[in-house]
Amino acid sequence: MKANLIVMMLCLIASPIYGQAFRTESSEVSFFSSAPLEDIKAKNEEVIGVFNGENGAIAFVVQIKGFRFAKSLMQEHFNENFMESEKYPRATFEGKVMDYDLGKSGEQEVRVKGTMSIHGESQEMEEVGTFEKKGEAIMMKAVFPIVLVDYNIAIPKILFQKIAEEVEVTVYFKFVEG
Amino acid sequence: MKNLEVVCLVLGTFFFGVFGQLTHVMAQDSLLEQLKQEAPPMKDVALGTFKGTRLINGHSIMTRGAGNLDFMISHRFGRLNSGAYNFFGLDEANIRLGLEYAFTDRMTLGIGRNSFQKVYDGFVKYNLMQQQSGSKSIPLSLTWYSSMAINTFKRPELPLNFQRRLSYAHQLLMARKFSEHVSLQLMPSYVHQNLVPSREDKNDLIALGAGGSFKLTKRTSLNLEYYYRINPNKDNDSYNVFAIGFDIETGGHVFQLQLTNAQSMTETGFLPGTTGNFWDGDIHFGFNISRSFQLKENSKSW
């Protein structure tokens, strides 16, 4: 009797902090921009995220220095001149996934609404993505544009042909419960 | 007694249960804050300690990423104090053309040809340590630099075999990026010349260089460089090298403009053989222009 109570008590204390929480097991954020002189692309695996299956709350953190470019000099200039990654080391998103049914299997189209913070600037945004339940894991994918001036990322005139004013961002998360 | 114990346990369970629910609610409010605290520290390498692979005359700790080819054009004009007739030195130009290839992110090999003394030079540069914080903490960057120069100038009065034409320089470059704006570098240096002007002159020279860069804007910086020679040859009219420079970076190019008392653009030349006195106006205007070409894209990324 006593032992049962203790176990019950421990169970309650140790109950997950945020209900049905899903964390990223693997994730990737990449971007692509097309400009007359050259295409610029980079990908980043230093991203973590959490998703609450009960209320749809979602958040992720991207380490800016984690973006890998094919050209190392481009990577240096991305961090030094555009993102100022020493001053703003992370980009974050916090928001809500609308109309997602956790019980349903297969691919579902969802709306994600929230606040994106990049380079010290925050913007409200609403984008469409897909959620897909695969066994225990939830796959999330979204492709959306980021307009650089919205986040106060300046492109010097001398480089205008090299860098587009809008970049296409692809976010891919694999969430598992825990 | 037994009942009391049970009551206590029930109350305790209830209390912790409610407490658990409370933290649950609180956590929901700051999902992002929680996540930020959980983010594992990453390898945070100090980037862009200097704009160029050269501080001014000498090398900086910077090496380019694997597969990068730098084409470098450097000039040192004549002396500013040579007057208007010489257009303040611009009539007379020394040029060095160089090619530098980064075989790995850490190792670069370079070759160059100088019009001054018709010197060919070759060097190897290896980045031993990178300043970083985060998952690993390293306070400074270290780069080893070794070069060899061959003086091919014709001197009919002096029989010169190949051996005598060679000279070598070795440097340990140490730099730290202190803030977004300030980077400093120390460079203990050693030069060996197979041929020196007279029997009394020493073949070996030890010097300590110090320099730094102050970033004015994201794309420009002001640089200083000074080499103090610890055991210079006496009675041979040579001076410590001083230079002040200005860098402009525009993506693939780095433009470095400078004023210096050195005419030579290789360590084996300017460390033992700088004959101008900066403070007397023996100043050469000069520039280094480097253009980067990525010959091999980093396959690990894409």
Side-chain angles (χ1 to χ4, degrees), chain A residues 1-2 5-6 8-9 12-13 15-20 23 28 30-31 41-43 46 48-52 54-55 57-61 63-66 68-73 75-77 79-82 84-87 90 92-95 119 154 156 158-159 162, chain B residues 5-6 9-10 12-14 16-17 20-21 23-25 27-51 62-66 68 70 105 177 179-180 215 218-219 249-252 291-292 294 296-298 300-302:
Chain A
M1 175 65 185
K2 197 170 144 190
L5 274 170
I6 289 168
M8 202 175 113
M9 194 172 122
L12 274 168
I13 295 167
S15 69
I17 303 170
Y18 9 65
Q20 203 166 9
R23 283 161 190 287
E28 190 183 303
S30 58
F31 72 78
K41 50 190 180 176
K43 81 174 181 187
E46 306 204 47
I48 55 168
V50 62
F51 168 59
N52 186 329
E54 267 171 19
N55 61 10
I58 187 166
F60 61 84
V61 173
Q63 309 268 32
I64 299 298
K65 278 195 183 176
R68 300 280 167 252
F69 290 70
K71 298 182 179 182
S72 60
L73 212 53
Q75 189 169 322
E76 187 181 312
H77 296 151
N79 283 291
E80 282 277 294
N81 300 338
F82 298 104
E84 302 176 86
S85 56
E86 237 133 85
K87 226 190 280 175
R90 288 162 174 175
T92 60
F93 180 82
E94 188 171 29
H119 192 238
I158 201 164
L159 293 172
K162 268 194 173 178
Chain B
E5 210 168 281
V6 171
L9 274 169
V10 169
T13 312
F14 178 72
F16 281 110
Q21 290 303 309
T23 52
H24 176 186
V25 172
Q28 278 176 359
D29 290 339
S30 58
L31 204 58
L32 189 60
E33 285 310 309
Q34 184 107 11
L35 199 58
K36 274 186 188 168
Q37 278 162 25
E38 280 172 23
M42 63 175 293
K43 188 176 157 192
D44 191 0
V45 175
L47 295 165
T49 306
F50 298 104
K51 296 229 170 272
M62 302 295 283
T63 54
R64 297 290 182 220
N68 185 88
D70 256 3
D105 284 347
K177 185 179 183 178
S179 71
E180 197 195 325
K215 211 181 273 179
K218 280 184 215 167
R219 297 181 177 277
E249 175 261 303
T250 64
R291 167 71 187 151
S292 273
Q294 190 79 25
K296 219 176 73 201
E297 303 231 321
N298 199 340
K300 269 183 287 177
S301 308
W302 287 94

Side-chain angles (χ1 to χ4, degrees), chain B residues 193 196-197 200-202 205 229 231-236 238:
Chain B
Q193 294 173 283
V196 284
E200 289 75 43
D201 289 333
K202 286 163 288 208
L205 174 71
R229 296 166 312 149
N231 61 338
N233 286 322
K234 289 186 183 71
D235 327 310
N236 112 12
S238 65

Side-chain angles (χ1 to χ4, degrees), chain A residues 132-152:
Chain A
E132 191 184 355
K133 200 157 188 186
K134 273 188 183 166
E136 291 300 291
I138 300 175
M139 312 298 211
M140 180 198 146
K141 196 184 172 194
V143 181
F144 51 88
I146 291 275
V147 181
L148 298 182
V149 287
D150 285 354
Y151 297 94
N152 200 17

